[in-house]
Amino acid sequence: MADNNGLQKLRNLDRAFFDLAKVRYREALLIRLLIFIIGLTSVISNFMTTISPLFILILSGCSEFLIWKSNIWKSKADSLLGKLDFMDSLGWSISRSEISDLVVGTPDKIEKKLKIYNHFGDYFASVAPTGPKRAIENIQETAWWSKNLASQMMHVCIFTAIFIFLTSIFLLIFSIYTIKDFDSLYNMARASISIIMLIFSFGFISISIGYYNFSKNSSDIENRAEQIIERNNISKIDAIKIIHSYQMARVKSPLIPTCIWKLKRNKLNQVWEQYRKKN
């Protein structure tokens, strides 16, 4: 098993991978917002109607490319995090060849900034020694965190989608009662539909479903871990199976924004320490 400094460096590297994935995804969403603004401007004012399709085509390609890059960094982050879970829980080491494969392609500026990632205490609260019991307690804790954070993000996405939908409907109704010119009213109707399409362009519905599934799967895994702990007869096979189940659920889930984690971490840490931590 790696020493604490080596383990911390790998934790920092994993966090850097996740941050890169989130940055690329955020950039893709900003480009999609720009596409929406260009399209909306063309609909309302007939500005750039000739060349806007070309701009939208180019920007759409850039957005898809950034989504692809985000998925690559998320895949690297999930792979390393899975290895770190086994290292911390069962003492499985990570070979130099595995680390070199993960580090290849990492921007130099990211490697130089690894030291700025702060470490807030121990990664897991379990005080059990390395082994099946620690593995189950670790996965129960991380599944509990995932359940709550994914649920929070699901509600954010749903409320945002509802707000966008209601805003577009309000604008349409307001236009019907205040605008008398047919052409202007027609343009406002098209603008309202464009605003509704923003829900699908940003993927609020599919992402909400992804967060819901991750929260539900995490809750199920947390309950399974609790049942195994209560048996007081934990085998390594039980630990490996439940860790694998959680990792499969995490790989398929959307990214959790860092701002949500920072907003909730103190409260979740406090609740876990007070009510859930095993002595």
Side-chain angles (χ1 to χ4, degrees):
M1 184 173 178
D3 56 34
N4 289 334
N5 288 334
L7 182 60
Q8 181 56 46
K9 288 179 181 178
L10 292 175
R11 290 284 183 199
N12 290 344
L13 182 62
D14 184 62
R15 185 174 172 189
F17 287 163
F18 273 117
D19 283 351
L20 278 170
K22 293 172 186 179
V23 168
R24 297 290 89 83
Y25 189 77
R26 186 164 59 245
E27 291 170 348
L29 292 184
L30 289 174
I31 289 178
R32 289 184 180 181
L33 181 60
L34 180 59
I35 291 172
F36 165 74
I37 293 172
I38 293 174
L40 187 62
T41 303
S42 300
V43 166
I44 295 177
S45 63
N46 293 322
F47 177 69
M48 292 172 51
T49 53
T50 304
I51 61 173
S52 61
L54 178 60
F55 279 131
I56 290 175
L57 177 62
I58 295 173
L59 290 173
S60 296
C62 293
S63 176
E64 291 303 316
F65 173 76
L66 289 170
I67 291 291
W68 173 68
K69 292 294 290 183
S70 174
N71 289 336
I72 288 177
W73 286 116
K74 182 179 184 296
S75 178
K76 279 194 171 188
D78 283 328
S79 177
L80 179 54
L81 186 55
K83 297 176 189 298
L84 289 170
D85 286 345
F86 279 110
M87 174 187 282
D88 187 287
S89 300
L90 298 174
W92 292 7
S93 62
I94 303 177
S95 68
R96 289 181 175 272
S97 62
E98 289 176 307
I99 296 174
S100 64
D101 289 340
L102 289 167
V103 171
V104 168
T106 304
D108 292 337
K109 62 180 180 180
I110 295 298
E111 293 188 52
K112 293 177 181 178
K113 292 181 179 179
L114 288 179
K115 293 181 180 180
I116 70 173
Y117 287 95
N118 294 320
H119 183 47
F120 302 94
D122 294 329
Y123 191 82
F124 291 110
S126 176
V127 295
T130 300
K133 181 180 179 182
R134 179 178 178 83
I136 297 297
E137 290 181 358
N138 285 352
I139 213 65
Q140 182 188 34
E141 179 183 357
T142 194
W144 180 80
W145 272 77
S146 296
K147 175 187 71 174
N148 287 282
L149 293 176
S151 177
Q152 181 75 23
M153 276 307 303
M154 178 192 70
H155 288 100
V156 168
C157 290
I158 290 174
F159 291 148
T160 302
I162 292 174
F163 174 78
I164 292 173
F165 179 78
L166 293 179
T167 299
S168 64
I169 296 299
F170 172 79
L171 288 176
L172 182 59
I173 296 174
F174 180 79
S175 301
I176 292 173
Y177 284 98
T178 57
I179 299 177
K180 304 303 179 181
D181 180 68
F182 177 79
D183 291 335
S184 298
L185 183 60
Y186 176 68
N187 287 336
M188 285 303 299
R190 293 173 61 192
S192 297
I193 294 175
S194 297
I195 293 173
I196 292 176
M197 291 303 297
L198 191 64
I199 297 174
F200 300 96
S201 177
F202 273 62
F204 284 116
I205 295 177
S206 60
I207 292 176
S208 297
I209 294 173
Y211 283 127
Y212 168 78
N213 289 333
F214 187 35
S215 179
K216 183 178 182 303
N217 290 334
S218 296
S219 178
D220 293 340
I221 291 168
E222 178 198 358
N223 293 332
R224 283 171 53 196
E226 183 67 29
Q227 293 172 1
I228 293 173
I229 291 173
E230 289 177 353
R231 293 205 314 250
N232 290 322
N233 183 21
I234 306 172
S235 68
K236 184 176 288 188
I237 296 297
D238 290 332
I240 294 173
K241 283 183 177 179
I242 199 167
I243 291 175
H244 180 70
S245 296
Y246 173 76
Q247 290 178 353
M248 290 297 294
R250 185 178 60 207
V251 166
K252 294 184 290 185
S253 72
L255 289 163
I256 302 291
T258 302
C259 59
I260 294 296
W261 172 75
K262 288 183 177 180
L263 182 67
K264 304 291 292 184
R265 71 176 180 223
N266 290 334
K267 179 65 175 180
L268 291 177
N269 273 326
Q270 179 183 355
V271 171
W272 184 266
E273 288 288 332
Q274 186 171 357
Y275 298 104
R276 302 298 301 273
K277 184 177 179 179
K278 302 291 188 295
N279 295 322

